[in-house]
Amino acid sequence: MTNQKKPSRNLTMLTDFYEITMSNGYFSNGYRDTVVYFDMFFRHIPDDGGFAIMAGVQQLIDYIKDLEFTDDDIAYLESTHMFQKEFLEYLRNFQFACDVWAIPEGTPIFPSEPIVTVRGPVIQAQLIETMLLLTINHQSMIATKANRIVRAAQGRAVMEFGSRRAQGADGAIYGARAAYIGGCCGTACTICAPDFGVPALGTMAHSWVQLFDSELDAFRAYAREYPSNCTLLVDTFNVLKSGVPNAIKVFQEELLPRGYRPAGIRIDSGDITYLSRKARKMLDEAGFPDCKICASNSLDEYIIRDMLMQGAKVDSFGVGERLITSGSEPVFGGVYKLAGVEDANGNIIPKIKISENVAKITTPCFKGLWRLFDRDTGKAIADVVTLHDEVIDDSQPYEIFDPEHIWKRKMVTNFRAVKLRKKIFEHGQCIAEERTLEEIKRYCAEQVDTLWEEVTRFENPHQYYVDLSPALWDIKNRMIEENTALSQR
């Protein structure tokens, strides 16, 4: 099973219009072949969490591989009377030739580090900005939210149930993919099973129960149809007085005589903590301690955590709108900024964006990204952003420091240094390693486990350090000082 079904439509024009107008300007001003470096990074972790999850790289790969301006695209651009004929011919024969590096999907990521870098002709690097941000921002947001919810469930299965509340079809489809990376066990979005290999899950709606003459008749019909996977929705009328008693009756009369055991019941309304405790007692007394209880209905990580703290007897959760829309913080603020330009001799000229808002000052240069792991515990210590050709020698002690408070320093010893980003395109050719979605999901769980509990907690998590190498810090600090001096003249 592949990770991704190929898109059925050409998305080359899914770009902000100013990307095309700027590209036309680059073309007319002689910058057509100027090689630049762009970084994608983000500034804030959703829900004030301790980390985010990288996702969406496969869809970025597929988008780039399919870049092609059609005759209709060119005709539309020509109709605006804004573009040179020579530029339109360039687009007509467009061939992507950039190098692209990205952090693998499923990796925990942190603010201010370059999670994607694009090197190549400025027009090409500029044109892919919108789709690059759209893809990584959306899926990273959903994977991050899903991982929070899965961790709140403390080992209990979490199913993604949000398609009908998603922001459009792509929001549902790619959101379900990202939720699986984040740790969900499956999705109600059926198309994701053949497209991505995400298990399709589901039982019945209240309409099934309402359609029959009685709740008991509805349960009997379902048990006869699906005896090996019989999960009954018990809250259509009254969970404890009607739903659970009728479910038990059907389990006894329809499943046991045919050699089957019940899969479970689902509670979708009311005080689920209280109802699940009562339902558990009733099921156990009836001889069904193996019958699972599933909870749904506007859940999120905080509700799930509180339910379990209060003694809810729930074995799995179906989470919909607050997962698929990341309802508590529905924007992942990744940005795409110029970091360097190559001169005619191939020398990299660093570029920086200065702002009175310190958080918006960018880090210049073509960069590398490393994660340092403690050799004894396997836990992540810090990330270090370096110049692209720097190597962190993990056989020697290495000093890290807070780039904003440089007196905060630590000498790291007995560590392992790992380069985080992988090259996925070389001169426009895809060289990405193919991974199944199951492999990505498993890798995500393993990588999250390398983070200290202080980083993974929901409230006031410990700030994981993303430091700069001394050489990179010197360049950035010098450029800030030079720009400050110029502004004061």
Side-chain angles (χ1 to χ4, degrees):
M1 188 70 67
T2 61
N3 282 345
Q4 159 69 17
K5 183 179 179 180
K6 285 290 184 181
S8 59
R9 62 195 190 279
N10 184 354
L11 298 176
T12 303
M13 291 275 278
L14 204 169
T15 185
D16 287 283
F17 192 61
Y18 77 0
E19 312 288 9
I20 305 177
T21 57
M22 283 193 294
S23 295
N24 181 73
Y26 295 147
F27 190 94
S28 65
N29 283 278
Y31 289 107
R32 165 180 168 172
D33 297 319
T34 298
V35 173
V36 298
Y37 296 80
F38 274 93
D39 291 329
M40 179 187 175
F41 60 94
F42 67 103
R43 301 186 178 106
H44 171 73
I45 300 170
D47 294 305
D48 294 321
F51 65 97
I53 298 293
M54 183 71 167
V57 176
Q58 184 60 48
Q59 281 61 57
L60 173 63
I61 289 170
D62 292 336
Y63 162 74
I64 291 175
K65 287 167 68 174
D66 291 337
L67 281 173
E68 180 184 18
F69 287 89
T70 67
D71 290 341
D72 287 344
D73 295 338
I74 301 300
Y76 164 72
L77 294 174
E78 188 174 23
S79 74
T80 66
H81 305 292
M82 294 181 64
F83 304 103
Q84 297 182 49
K85 288 184 178 179
E86 293 82 2
F87 173 67
L88 294 177
E89 281 304 305
Y90 169 82
L91 295 185
R92 191 186 303 277
N93 299 299
F94 185 89
Q95 287 190 328
F96 188 73
C98 294
D99 299 323
V100 183
W101 295 260
I103 291 180
E105 291 189 279
T107 306
I109 52 177
F110 302 92
S112 301
E113 56 190 21
I115 58 178
V116 180
T117 292
V118 178
R119 174 200 176 273
V122 62
I123 292 175
Q124 300 184 22
Q126 193 81 67
L127 280 170
I128 66 171
E129 174 180 5
T130 302
M131 192 62 180
L132 185 156
L133 289 175
L134 182 160
T135 301
I136 303 298
N137 277 335
H138 173 244
Q139 289 200 46
S140 296
M141 176 181 71
I142 302 303
T144 301
K145 187 66 170 181
N147 190 261
R148 288 172 62 86
I149 292 170
V150 167
R151 286 185 287 118
Q154 301 175 31
R156 297 163 180 82
V158 175
M159 297 163 281
E160 187 280 304
F161 274 7
S163 300
R164 62 192 63 187
R165 302 289 174 82
Q167 317 292 17
D170 283 349
I173 294 168
Y174 295 121
R177 178 185 186 274
Y180 194 66
I181 290 173
C184 289
C185 66
T187 178
C189 186
T190 310
I191 195 173
C192 293
D195 280 7
F196 304 134
V198 179
L201 306 168
T203 55
M204 62 172 65
H206 295 103
S207 56
W208 172 278
V209 181
Q210 292 171 286
L211 184 66
F212 289 80
D213 291 337
S214 70
E215 183 178 61
L216 184 60
D217 289 339
F219 287 177
R220 286 191 190 281
Y222 196 87
R224 291 167 182 166
E225 194 71 29
Y226 304 106
S228 63
N229 188 27
C230 183
T231 298
L232 302 176
L233 180 61
V234 296
D235 74 321
T236 305
F237 303 114
N238 187 294
V239 173
L240 301 180
K241 294 182 178 180
S242 172
V244 177
N246 280 330
I248 290 171
K249 187 177 181 65
V250 167
F251 295 157
Q252 292 171 334
E253 296 180 357
E254 300 292 342
L255 297 185
L256 295 186
R258 300 167 67 184
Y260 293 100
R261 301 289 297 178
I265 62 170
R266 179 162 70 95
I267 305 172
D268 189 53
S269 60
D271 184 342
I272 296 176
T273 299
Y274 169 79
L275 294 172
S276 68
R277 290 202 301 260
K278 293 292 186 180
R280 178 77 275 155
K281 187 172 185 295
M282 295 167 69
L283 290 167
D284 290 351
E285 290 176 348
F288 300 112
D290 54 335
C291 179
K292 306 297 185 183
I293 298 177
C294 175
S296 52
N297 184 33
S298 298
L299 302 176
D300 63 15
E301 65 268 42
Y302 296 106
I303 295 173
I304 289 172
R305 182 188 62 180
D306 289 350
M307 287 170 58
L308 295 178
M309 288 174 60
Q310 295 162 14
K313 300 298 183 182
V314 176
D315 301 289
S316 63
F317 299 91
V319 186
E321 61 191 56
R322 298 184 185 182
L323 191 167
I324 204 66
T325 65
S326 187
S328 54
E329 190 159 346
V331 175
F332 193 89
V335 295
Y336 188 72
K337 299 297 181 183
L338 183 68
V341 177
E342 285 188 13
D343 65 16
N345 297 317
N347 300 309
I348 303 173
I349 304 168
K351 296 291 182 177
I352 191 170
K353 177 184 180 293
I354 302 291
S355 173
E356 292 183 4
N357 183 342
V358 174
K360 290 196 171 186
I361 298 175
T362 63
T363 300
C365 302
F366 178 28
K367 297 178 284 291
L369 179 61
W370 300 76
R371 182 157 294 167
L372 311 185
F373 294 92
D374 186 286
R375 288 190 183 274
D376 289 335
T377 65
K379 297 295 187 182
I381 301 168
D383 288 0
V384 182
V385 186
T386 67
L387 296 173
H388 75 283
D389 53 358
E390 284 188 89
V391 175
I392 295 181
D393 181 0
D394 55 16
S395 69
Q396 302 294 324
Y398 186 82
E399 186 177 49
I400 57 176
F401 63 95
D402 186 324
E404 293 185 15
H405 309 95
I406 59 174
W407 60 90
K408 294 182 179 180
R409 294 173 177 266
K410 178 180 180 179
M411 188 65 71
V412 181
T413 59
N414 191 34
F415 69 96
R416 180 170 56 93
V418 176
K419 268 192 170 182
L420 280 188
R421 296 185 309 185
K422 305 291 185 183
K423 200 171 191 179
I424 58 175
F425 281 88
E426 186 166 6
H427 305 307
Q429 299 301 307
C430 180
I431 59 170
E433 176 186 349
E434 186 81 15
R435 293 194 298 165
T436 67
L437 201 58
E438 192 64 42
E439 289 171 333
I440 296 170
K441 177 185 178 183
R442 185 167 57 251
Y443 166 82
C444 179
E446 292 169 353
Q447 292 303 303
V448 170
D449 195 47
T450 68
L451 302 177
W452 293 99
E453 290 182 358
E454 291 85 349
V455 175
T456 63
R457 66 188 177 217
F458 292 157
E459 272 84 27
N460 300 314
H462 174 77
Q463 180 183 347
Y464 181 90
Y465 291 111
V466 177
D467 298 331
L468 304 183
S469 70
L472 180 56
W473 186 89
D474 286 343
I475 293 173
K476 180 175 182 178
N477 192 54
R478 186 187 71 243
M479 294 183 74
I480 292 172
E481 290 177 348
E482 289 173 350
N483 278 272
T484 301
L486 286 172
S487 67
Q488 291 175 348
R489 286 182 180 178

